[in-house]
Amino acid sequence: MNSFLIAIILANVLMSYKGFNDTHFFRKYEFYMGRVRSGEYIRILSSAFLHADIGHLIFNMLTLYFFAPVVIHYLGNWYFVLIYLGSLIFGGLLTVYFHKKEYHYRAIGASGAVTGILYSAIILRPDMMLGLFFIVPIPAYIFGIVYLLYSIYGMKAKNDNIGHTAHFGGAIGGYLLTLLIMPQLLFEHALMVALLTLPIVVLFGMAKMGKL
């Protein structure tokens, strides 16, 4: 496994494990809107290395594990890190945008960064197939679209503190950064680029209609 990928997964595992066992640490570094708006911007970054539970951590790290090698293969290590961190920041900024008036809003998880890598990989390799539950073959772009539609449900339900809004910011980050790095994909994979915008359009459409 690539050393850059190992380092990112290890950082997520170690910080999440610490958070599982240390409530003070968890509260200090989670995304908490009131604290972010008071100037604790480090929480935008640190919260992306915390997770709600083992299942949440495993799901994000497995998704990263499957899709990161595609990005690394096509773009190299440094662009992979750029897209991961850029997507993380996009996710945090979108969260601030949508929840800036909710001072008690809390969120954690690497979902924004991971979704950015997911979107990047799908744009780079739209012909990829995944094994849903490791058995049922499914086109990767279908997985990506369903993943974001589930995030809309999570944002609307508001029944956990997983950073569902960050999924979209991350997707936008991975999408834009990949196209900036390889603008020829706009023409080579035009249909896929268009399809992957659909959940993002749905999100902002629902927000404009006040349904989130």
Side-chain angles (χ1 to χ4, degrees), residues 133-145:
F133 304 116
F134 303 100
I135 299 173
V136 182
I138 179 174
Y141 71 90
I142 296 292
F143 176 82
I145 291 170

Side-chain angles (χ1 to χ4, degrees), residues 23-52:
T23 303
H24 174 73
F25 179 86
F26 186 90
R27 294 302 180 197
K28 183 178 180 180
Y29 292 109
E30 69 178 343
F31 184 101
Y32 180 40
M33 184 59 71
R35 293 292 187 179
V36 171
R37 293 202 61 178
S38 69
E40 295 182 20
Y41 303 118
I42 188 63
R43 289 173 179 263
I44 293 175
L45 179 65
S46 61
S47 62
F49 291 89
L50 295 170
H51 289 81

Side-chain angles (χ1 to χ4, degrees), residues 164-179:
H164 295 289
T165 309
H167 294 182
F168 281 90
I172 294 168
Y175 178 90
L176 291 178
L177 288 170
T178 303
L179 292 177

